[in-house]
Amino acid sequence: MHAPAFILVNPQMGENIGAAARAMLNFGLEHMRIVGPRDGWPNEKAVAMASGAGRVLDNAMVVDTTDQATADLTYLFATTARPRGMVKTVMTPERAMEEARSLIAAGEKVGVLFGPERAGLENDDIVRANTIITVPVNPEFPSLNLAQCVLLTGYEWRRQTVTAEAEVTDTLRNRLAEGREVDALVAHLTAELDARGFFWPEHKAEPMRTNLENLLRRRALTDAEVRTLFGVVRYLAEREKGDTRGRD
Amino acid sequence: MHAPAFILVNPQMGENIGAAARAMLNFGLEHMRIVGPRDGWPNEKAVAMASGAGRVLDNAMVVDTTDQATADLTYLFATTARPRGMVKTVMTPERAMEEARSLIAAGEKVGVLFGPERAGLENDDIVRANTIITVPVNPEFPSLNLAQCVLLTGYEWRRQTVTAEAEVTDTLRNRLAEGREVDALVAHLTAELDARGFFWPEHKAEPMRTNLENLLRRRALTDAEVRTLFGVVRYLAEREKGDTRGRD
């Protein structure tokens, strides 16, 4: 197993099982196990809701008891909304999935228990877990449903495994302008403005030039953008030159 | 505002608006704005679905257009599932909410745009945003719905605020321009260029407008910079007007 199994314990509504399957597949998770689904198995509503994620249901292990679902696992997390008065480590989904990644990298087989919609996991199931996961919700409105809890845990799993994707700039698809191109733009714009008395009063001219240049430079421009800005300046200024020439 | 506003653009199903309200309140977010909800407002199904989070709907700002919803905001994120070929920084929800926290700590007003269920945000809305948020989903099954996208973004907001201490970036000492100020600049520059036949040939006019607007927005401008750019456009364009008048 290269990813944790998500184990739904006594889920009630088929729709929620289907939504959980979708949420899992959104983040590349495919190992679902289902313990004693209330409405039996297979479940049409689950299939309908899962739509594109049907194969997660097709491949799900469906068993009667939690111990069957966890028999082959070597490390178990349990998700709960509130403390249960047990002496157990409580982790955020982030920390827990970081831990899961290390465990799996070391060859361990990891599972995460999710309780039924209304009541959540019973203490008998929680006690089986090595570690508890609690999502840090607003204590005044802690109403995550089953599929949301699966979604957030799956999201953290994927965050752990897909690294260094933190920030991409579409800019990289376009070539950034070379220094000399930006220099030319700055010079051109400054000259046009200067000719029109923009840099005034005199004692403020220098800081005004600096600010304007900074505005153009503080975000790297692509070469396409530099060309666009050249065009903007030319079009804005153009008619005026024609007129000047006409007056000469 | 001590937290970002979440702006639902043209949401279709009332149930999804209600689910978004719940997802927000789960993570302590209460500033919802709604642009042109398909089924009008108020919406019974939204209220029914929101249940305990009804006050998020009660206090929601409901307007007709995205520019109304963003007029007072100084920094805007847009959530999209796929790249749009615009030169904009793309962040994970984590990085984006880290950024949002810094911005808000510095007194900025931050919003996050969420598109309608089926199609997502249109380019006209995306171009308004300073930065794009994309959830790192499984590329083979990237099917997050509206409320899930709200949930993950809200979760990252809370992670940022619960765990980390506020830090203010030096570059943010200047106040950022409000949405309406940038709108006015874009409109002014576009009109001046349009009057001079800049957007030509005709079949390229629309992408040219989008690129130009994007160029102005992809890096949040300070209000001083917006004033400077107004001045630049005015000075470049001004003499021409005077000359025209002179010739009449």
Side-chain angles (χ1 to χ4, degrees):
Chain A
M1 267 173 34
H2 300 299
F6 276 20
I7 303 156
L8 312 189
V9 179
N10 303 130
Q12 303 179 323
M13 313 258 290
E15 291 87 337
N16 293 332
I17 302 171
R22 292 179 68 84
M24 286 175 62
L25 196 55
N26 273 322
F27 297 114
L29 290 162
E30 305 201 24
H31 301 291
M32 178 185 272
R33 298 178 179 190
I34 309 172
V35 178
R38 184 190 65 184
D39 299 335
W41 199 259
N43 182 311
E44 276 179 25
K45 288 180 178 165
V47 173
M49 179 60 111
S51 61
R55 72 165 185 271
V56 174
L57 299 182
D58 295 341
N59 299 329
M61 170 198 286
V62 183
V63 294
D64 292 327
T65 61
T66 306
D67 62 336
Q68 291 173 310
T70 60
D72 64 323
L73 302 179
T74 60
Y75 199 99
L76 196 60
F77 294 92
T79 55
T80 73
R82 52 190 191 287
R84 302 301 185 100
M86 284 182 221
V87 180
K88 259 193 218 303
T89 303
V90 179
M91 293 183 178
T92 60
E94 181 186 25
R95 264 294 290 135
M97 291 302 99
E98 194 181 321
E99 197 71 16
R101 184 173 49 100
S102 303
L103 287 161
I104 287 170
E108 303 303 334
K109 297 187 73 178
V110 175
V112 184
L113 295 174
F114 297 86
E117 289 89 334
R118 199 153 311 173
L121 288 168
E122 293 188 16
N123 282 352
D124 282 356
D125 289 325
I126 293 172
V127 76
R128 312 181 69 84
N130 305 102
T131 297
I132 285 175
I133 300 176
T134 297
V135 180
V137 287
N138 176 6
E140 289 164 26
F141 190 73
S143 79
L144 292 181
N145 67 30
L146 173 56
Q148 289 175 320
C149 194
V150 167
L151 184 81
L152 291 170
T153 310
Y155 166 79
E156 286 291 5
W157 168 256
R158 191 165 182 89
R159 283 218 313 128
Q160 288 304 320
T161 51
V162 184
T163 47
E165 244 186 25
E167 188 172 333
V168 190
T169 303
D170 250 355
T171 315
L172 297 179
R173 274 201 228 119
N174 294 286
R175 196 176 71 78
L176 290 181
E178 293 177 354
R180 72 186 109 213
E181 295 171 306
V182 183
D183 287 353
L185 175 65
V186 169
H188 179 56
L189 175 60
T190 305
E192 291 285 359
L193 288 170
D194 214 8
R196 289 167 173 76
F198 180 81
F199 299 106
W200 184 91
E202 191 133 7
H203 69 280
K204 285 196 181 166
E206 210 38 51
M208 286 175 80
R209 277 174 211 276
T210 304
N211 283 339
L212 184 61
E213 183 167 350
N214 186 50
L215 199 163
L216 286 171
R217 291 194 193 270
R218 76 186 167 94
R219 178 73 169 84
L221 295 168
T222 66
D223 58 352
E225 286 178 328
V226 168
R227 284 197 304 274
T228 297
L229 288 171
F230 257 111
V232 166
V233 175
R234 198 179 64 239
Y235 269 78
L236 286 175
E238 176 169 77
R239 184 81 64 87
E240 187 270 340
K241 271 184 185 163
D243 292 343
T244 305
R245 247 176 259 129
R247 278 202 306 272
D248 282 348
Chain B
M1 267 172 35
H2 300 301
F6 276 19
I7 304 158
L8 311 189
V9 180
N10 303 131
Q12 303 179 324
M13 313 258 291
E15 291 87 336
N16 293 333
I17 303 172
R22 292 180 68 84
M24 286 175 61
L25 196 55
N26 273 320
F27 297 114
L29 290 162
E30 305 201 23
H31 302 290
M32 178 185 272
R33 296 178 180 191
I34 308 172
V35 178
R38 185 191 65 184
D39 299 336
W41 199 258
N43 181 312
E44 277 179 22
K45 288 179 178 168
V47 173
M49 180 60 112
S51 61
R55 74 164 184 272
V56 175
L57 299 183
D58 295 341
N59 298 330
M61 170 199 287
V62 182
V63 294
D64 292 324
T65 60
T66 306
D67 62 334
Q68 291 173 313
T70 60
D72 64 323
L73 301 178
T74 59
Y75 200 100
L76 196 60
F77 293 93
T79 55
T80 73
R82 52 189 190 288
R84 304 300 186 100
M86 282 184 222
V87 180
K88 262 191 214 300
T89 301
V90 180
M91 293 183 179
T92 61
E94 179 186 26
R95 263 295 290 134
M97 291 301 100
E98 194 182 321
E99 197 71 15
R101 180 175 51 95
S102 301
L103 288 160
I104 286 170
E108 301 304 334
K109 296 186 76 178
V110 175
V112 184
L113 295 176
F114 297 87
E117 288 89 334
R118 199 151 311 173
L121 288 169
E122 293 186 14
N123 281 352
D124 282 356
D125 290 325
I126 293 174
V127 75
R128 312 182 69 84
N130 304 104
T131 297
I132 285 176
I133 301 177
T134 296
V135 179
V137 287
N138 175 7
E140 289 165 29
F141 191 74
S143 77
L144 291 181
N145 67 30
L146 173 57
Q148 288 175 320
C149 193
V150 168
L151 183 81
L152 291 170
T153 311
Y155 166 78
E156 285 291 4
W157 167 255
R158 190 162 184 91
R159 284 215 315 128
Q160 289 302 322
T161 51
V162 170
T163 53
E165 288 298 311
E167 71 184 71
V168 183
T169 312
D170 244 355
T171 53
L172 298 174
R173 277 207 218 107
N174 291 293
R175 197 177 71 78
L176 293 180
E178 293 180 351
R180 69 185 113 222
E181 296 171 308
V182 183
D183 287 353
L185 174 65
V186 169
H188 179 57
L189 174 59
T190 304
E192 291 285 0
L193 288 171
D194 214 6
R196 289 167 173 76
F198 179 80
F199 298 106
W200 185 91
E202 191 131 3
H203 69 280
K204 285 197 182 162
E206 211 38 53
M208 285 174 80
R209 276 174 211 275
T210 303
N211 282 340
L212 182 62
E213 181 169 352
N214 188 48
L215 198 161
L216 285 171
R217 289 192 195 270
R218 73 184 169 94
R219 178 69 171 88
L221 295 167
T222 66
D223 59 350
E225 287 178 326
V226 169
R227 283 197 305 274
T228 299
L229 287 171
F230 257 113
V232 166
V233 175
R234 200 178 63 239
Y235 268 78
L236 285 177
E238 173 169 79
R239 182 81 65 86
E240 187 269 339
K241 273 183 186 163
D243 292 341
T244 304
R245 246 177 262 131
R247 278 203 305 273
D248 283 345

